[in-house]
Amino acid sequence: LAIESSCDETSAAVVLNGREILSNVIASQISTHEQYGGVVPEVASRMHIEAISGVVEEALLKANITLENIDAIGVTYGPGLVGALLVGLQFAKGLAFASKKPLVGVNHIQHKDLKPPFISLVVSGGHTFIVHVKDYGIYEVIGQTRDDAAGEAYDKVARALGLGYPGGPKIDKLAKEGNPKAITFPKANFHEETLDFSFSGVKSAVLNYLNKCNMQNIEINKADVAASFQQAVVDVLKDNVLLTCKKKNIDTIAIAGGVASNSTLRETLINEAGKKGIKVLFPTPILCTDNAAMIGSAAYFNFINGKVNDLNLNAKPNLKL
Ligand code: KG4
């Protein structure tokens, strides 16, 4: 049984042998945070408290299993919003204590869906990095964002375009009607010195472009802005991840995080990687955003490797991989 509450989704899942999802219940708070244009941490924590027991009960019910038949309780203890993390963590500790089952803390960024070695591109609202997964639990971070995460840039640009939150899916949709070559936005490139990313430059360039148009009374074609911004982001993600595969001589890429559902990122990577004989694996969209099934899978591998925690486990908002 796994529990996830690191941001604005309360989720519980039952996972068999680390790979088979018996249930994956997700209570999303998006409609509440939408009105504020982003996640309000205090509101998120309160909503987790309201949702958590029902979500866990439903996950057990859907998996047709009782707590007695669960082997271990996995839970995200970081990274994330501390108040939000604490709700899931305390609930998991309570369950583990009452049922005398082992507690397994999971790093939200840990993924165990495929067999190493592979290159993982993690692109979400809070993270953007490339990891070389050498073996189960053995990672090397190859590059990461120096400022905004890719999803964060999507959300901020969407907000400036008046599209609402979360911005990623809205830009993704609008971009289909626009011309990706209409406006040239800057792409951060550290010239192979490092495979780090930077998305604040492209974000600021979009904001400046919009301001300039407004000041000069130039009509803004939102679809062109969305498509051109997206092109700049996707190109950098694609270039860096393909360069990593070349440097490390790896032929499998696994994408994770909310931005992994982006249709242009998917198409571009599949095409460009395909030309080089590199496989690209994407989770289904529901497994791209926060969910407890991925936590259950990671918890399983921790558990069979003897990595269990005691009830002193604390939330770590800045937990590193
Ligand atoms: O992994 P996730 O659910 O949350 C965390 O960051 O923990 O990712 C959410 C992020 C948001 O920034 C959202 O705008 C972005 O993923 N996102 C997308 C798409 N769907 C979600 N970005 C681009 N295209 C999408 N289709």
Side-chain angles (χ1 to χ4, degrees), residues 73-78 85-86 88-93 96 102-107 302 307-316 319:
I73 297 166
V75 63
T76 308
Y77 70 104
L85 286 166
L86 280 169
L89 180 59
Q90 294 308 104
F91 196 89
K93 285 196 211 174
L103 176 75
V104 184
V106 172
N107 182 325
N302 284 359
K307 289 189 200 157
V308 293
N309 298 89
D310 63 24
L311 297 178
N312 291 317
L313 182 66
N314 203 355
K316 294 204 172 124
L319 185 64

Side-chain angles (χ1 to χ4, degrees), residues 49-280:
I49 290 176
E50 284 166 18
I52 191 125
S53 0
V55 166
V56 170
E57 244 170 75
E58 197 181 325
L60 290 168
L61 208 68
K62 282 201 169 144
N64 203 11
I65 199 165
T66 57
L67 191 56
E68 292 77 68
N69 293 315
I70 291 287
D71 292 315
I73 297 166
V75 63
T76 308
Y77 70 104
L81 302 169
V82 70
L85 286 166
L86 280 169
V87 176
L89 180 59
Q90 294 308 104
F91 196 89
K93 285 196 211 174
L95 270 189
F97 181 66
S99 63
K100 301 192 175 60
K101 305 282 178 190
L103 176 75
V104 184
V106 172
N107 182 325
H108 177 85
I109 306 301
Q110 192 179 341
H111 273 270
K112 290 288 171 57
D113 295 356
L114 11 100
K115 288 209 168 64
F118 58 87
I119 300 296
S120 181
L121 172 67
V122 181
V123 264
S124 74
H127 309 276
T128 302
F129 50 80
I130 300 177
V131 189
H132 179 193
V133 181
K134 297 177 181 175
D135 202 345
Y136 291 111
I138 301 177
Y139 313 103
E140 183 193 351
V141 177
I142 306 288
Q144 54 196 317
T145 185
R146 296 188 175 185
D147 37 59
D148 290 2
E152 194 180 348
Y154 264 97
D155 293 337
K156 287 177 179 165
V157 165
R159 192 175 185 167
L161 286 171
L163 301 178
Y165 173 86
K170 294 185 170 140
I171 291 192
D172 193 358
K173 194 163 162 230
L174 184 62
K176 292 194 195 320
E177 296 159 25
N179 173 8
K181 295 203 173 97
I183 311 149
T184 308
F185 290 125
K187 297 173 198 170
N189 184 337
F190 299 106
H191 302 287
E192 296 199 25
E193 262 169 48
T194 109
L195 290 166
D196 278 354
F197 299 103
S198 164
F199 294 106
S200 74
V202 59
K203 174 200 69 186
S204 303
V206 175
L207 303 187
N208 290 341
Y209 173 84
L210 295 176
N211 279 339
K212 204 177 90 195
C213 290
N214 284 333
M215 271 164 25
Q216 298 175 356
N217 270 333
I218 299 170
E219 203 186 325
I220 295 166
N221 181 330
K222 289 189 181 183
D224 281 352
V225 176
S228 303
F229 158 76
Q230 176 160 274
Q231 192 66 50
V233 173
V234 166
D235 278 349
V236 171
L237 292 173
K238 173 209 59 174
D239 289 347
N240 283 12
V241 78
L242 290 181
L243 203 56
T244 308
C245 286
K246 191 172 153 205
K247 280 191 169 172
K248 300 286 170 184
N249 196 20
I250 301 277
D251 65 359
T252 308
I253 302 171
I255 318 286
V259 185
S261 12
N262 185 267
S263 54
T264 303
L265 178 65
R266 287 184 175 232
E267 280 159 31
T268 312
L269 265 180
I270 290 171
N271 282 339
E272 299 294 315
K275 287 182 200 156
K276 298 180 192 305
I278 296 170
K279 275 198 306 289
V280 189

